[in-house]
Amino acid sequence: MTILKRPIRTCVICRGKSPQNELFRLKCEDKKLVPFDNNGRSFYICSDCLSIFENSQNNQKELKRFEKTLCRVCKNKDDYIGQLKEILTHVR
């Protein structure tokens, strides 16, 4: 009997660990945030952090935390909050 283990990945926002299939996968390409297309380096955001993001549109502290993390992961400063909002509206 073979037991398949699912890869465990880390959310870049909360640093929580979850199975890969439960996380939302993104990448930075040409200073733009885009869904992962099986090419290049990527990062993950968990569903809990995504729900916090969607519900914190008026909470500047939470938005700053997301912005700071996305700028660190993408290694530059850009409007990643707006790009993440746009990606989430197209995905869901």
Side-chain angles (χ1 to χ4, degrees), residues 12-30:
V12 295
I13 305 294
C14 69
R15 299 289 187 201
K17 300 195 183 318
S18 300
Q20 184 177 9
N21 63 339
E22 295 177 8
L23 300 168
F24 189 64
R25 195 171 186 182
L26 297 166
K27 74 175 191 173
C28 293
E29 184 175 82
D30 299 326

Side-chain angles (χ1 to χ4, degrees), residues 68-83:
K68 183 177 178 181
T69 302
L70 291 173
C71 287
R72 178 180 47 81
V73 169
C74 294
K75 297 182 174 113
N76 61 27
K77 294 195 181 240
D78 206 351
D79 180 29
Y80 294 117
I81 297 297
Q83 293 174 27

Side-chain angles (χ1 to χ4, degrees), residues 4-91:
L4 296 174
K5 288 190 174 185
R6 296 185 179 181
I8 301 295
R9 300 292 185 252
T10 302
C11 171
V12 295
I13 305 294
C14 69
R15 299 289 187 201
K17 300 195 183 318
S18 300
Q20 184 177 9
N21 63 339
E22 295 177 8
L23 300 168
F24 189 64
R25 195 171 186 182
L26 297 166
K27 74 175 191 173
C28 293
E29 184 175 82
D30 299 326
K31 296 185 180 182
K32 298 287 180 197
L33 205 56
V34 294
F36 186 66
D37 61 358
N38 295 327
N39 188 15
R41 295 182 61 88
S42 64
F43 59 92
Y44 298 89
I45 300 177
C46 68
S47 57
D48 292 339
C49 288
L50 288 176
S51 64
I52 289 170
F53 174 76
E54 290 174 338
N55 296 327
S56 68
Q57 299 307 318
N58 295 326
N59 187 344
Q60 293 300 315
K61 185 176 179 182
E62 287 294 329
L63 291 177
K64 268 293 196 207
R65 184 171 68 109
F66 273 83
E67 184 178 33
K68 183 177 178 181
T69 302
L70 291 173
C71 287
R72 178 180 47 81
V73 169
C74 294
K75 297 182 174 113
N76 61 27
K77 294 195 181 240
D78 206 351
D79 180 29
Y80 294 117
I81 297 297
Q83 293 174 27
L84 183 58
K85 285 179 191 176
E86 186 177 320
I87 289 171
L88 291 176
T89 55
H90 290 331
V91 170

